[in-house]
Amino acid sequence: MSAAGTVLTIGNFDGVHAGHRHLLQCVRELAREHNLTPAVLTFDPHPTKVVAPDRAPRLLSTIEERVALIHEQGVKDVTVLPFTREIAMLFPHEFVERIVVNQLHARFVLVGGNFHFGHQKSGNVDTLTELGLRFGFETRVIPAVRKRGWLVSSSAVRKLIDAGDVAMAGRLLERPYALSGCVVSGHGVGSKQTVPTLNLSTAAEVIPAKGVYITRTRDLDSGARWESITNVGNRPTFGGGELSVETFLLSLLNGPAPVRISVEFLRRVREERTFESPAALKEQILRDAGRAQTFFRRVKW
């Protein structure tokens, strides 16, 4: 951190979407202009999980993923504040004096127009501006970002993924939405009756709607990548069951099967449906694979 202070932005940054990225760009540019340190203050857990757990949103990213994504945007000074009942009870002036000024030495604070803070969200951008005059920092409000008619927000991204529109969600995120986790044993049906798949166990809170998707799969340990198709659903052809995420790689593995993978969702192909037989399902999977191969031939990554 620069001895001169920081250009600070504050928020949850769930998903680190296009709006967040624009805000972080503004922070970087202003910090460079004034020879200050670009900095982010975020919270874990999400404040709503503490003050109103029944209304807490399903998160698009873990705190580790959020911090990594913020670092990728060129902001290395990230403070993760453990959000507790004590923090929730701070009035706006207490929060600003204790954390924004005394701990993070803010000279500028950049936030979105809907920013609220302090006990029962009693502070807003006008409050922050007034406190800035009192404590010696300048508040700047950064306009929201729109893409393809959508006002970019974490809730908008969540809505699109819930509906299966992963392509538009990717536009709002400025990257594909991905699920990560460990590869686990399936029921053994695929390798015997249809096609072999990688079965993903994930702790992600937001799962794309049931259906078949064109995806890209990455080995989190080796970095190897494969073009793929992925089914999210309950395997109705085989009697249903728990929700599963099964990925079929479009090229052969050259080595051992991956242990940990990330599956990036690029485009929805079709709904999940019941087939009259495993053979009919296999035939459809191979047609889906053909559509995916056509997609990848047209798109350069």
Side-chain angles (χ1 to χ4, degrees):
M1 183 183 297
S2 167
T6 63
V7 176
L8 178 69
T9 184
I10 307 168
N12 293 305
F13 298 96
D14 185 31
V16 192
H17 53 58
H20 297 141
R21 290 175 178 224
H22 175 62
L23 179 56
L24 294 171
Q25 178 185 353
C26 293
V27 167
R28 291 197 317 272
E29 292 174 353
L30 190 60
R32 188 181 306 116
E33 180 183 343
H34 292 273
N35 196 29
L36 299 169
T37 300
V40 168
L41 172 63
T42 190
F43 310 96
D44 186 53
H46 191 288
T48 311
K49 289 191 175 182
V50 175
V51 300
D54 56 318
R55 300 203 310 271
R58 292 168 294 122
L59 298 181
L60 298 163
S61 54
T62 65
I63 186 60
E64 294 80 11
E65 290 167 340
R66 263 186 285 158
V67 171
L69 288 166
I70 292 170
H71 284 168
E72 287 178 8
Q73 296 304 303
V75 179
K76 303 303 180 185
D77 193 337
V78 181
T79 298
V80 180
L81 181 66
F83 198 86
T84 62
R85 285 284 178 186
E86 179 189 2
I87 295 297
M89 295 300 291
L90 292 177
F91 286 98
H93 72 278
E94 295 174 315
F95 176 82
V96 164
E97 182 174 16
R98 182 191 300 188
I99 297 168
V100 174
V101 176
N102 293 343
Q103 182 177 337
L104 298 176
H105 312 293
R107 293 279 304 280
F108 294 87
V109 179
L110 277 57
V111 294
N114 63 348
F115 179 71
H116 286 81
F117 68 108
H119 181 51
Q120 297 183 340
K121 295 186 176 181
S122 55
N124 56 24
V125 292
D126 292 332
T127 313
L128 190 63
T129 301
E130 293 169 5
L131 290 170
L133 295 173
R134 173 178 167 187
F135 287 105
F137 62 83
E138 181 181 330
T139 299
R140 295 193 182 183
V141 179
I142 306 302
V145 171
R146 286 188 175 273
K147 280 185 175 287
R148 298 294 182 94
W150 285 81
L151 183 65
V152 180
S153 67
S154 299
S155 58
V157 173
R158 202 174 293 118
K159 181 178 180 179
L160 287 164
I161 295 169
D162 285 342
D165 192 350
V166 295
M168 184 57 72
R171 291 185 183 278
L172 269 56
L173 287 168
E174 294 187 340
R175 68 180 189 285
Y177 181 67
L179 301 179
S180 300
C182 295
V183 176
V184 296
S185 298
H187 294 80
V189 174
S191 60
K192 296 175 183 177
Q193 300 186 52
T194 56
V195 296
T197 58
L198 299 176
N199 299 280
L200 174 67
S201 174
T202 181
E205 297 180 13
V206 181
I207 307 291
K210 294 178 185 177
V212 176
Y213 297 85
I214 298 171
T215 56
R216 187 170 47 187
T217 300
R218 178 166 60 94
D219 186 328
L220 292 174
D221 297 309
S222 72
R225 292 175 181 266
W226 303 273
E227 296 168 355
S228 54
I229 57 169
T230 298
N231 183 81
V232 178
N234 302 104
R235 305 167 65 253
T237 302
F238 301 102
E242 295 181 355
L243 188 73
S244 64
V245 180
E246 298 178 293
T247 295
F248 171 55
L249 306 182
L250 301 184
S251 56
L252 295 176
L253 288 168
N254 293 323
V259 176
R260 299 185 309 125
I261 60 174
S262 173
V263 179
E264 298 177 343
F265 288 77
L266 307 177
R267 179 171 296 180
R268 194 166 194 255
V269 175
R270 61 174 175 84
E271 295 182 353
E272 183 185 45
R273 64 178 188 266
T274 304
F275 290 86
E276 61 189 25
S277 67
L281 172 57
K282 180 177 181 178
E283 187 176 322
Q284 181 62 56
I285 292 173
L286 295 178
R287 283 198 294 268
D288 296 338
R291 292 183 64 180
Q293 288 166 337
T294 300
F295 171 85
F296 284 115
R297 281 196 297 269
R298 292 175 177 172
V299 177
K300 294 183 179 180
W301 297 103

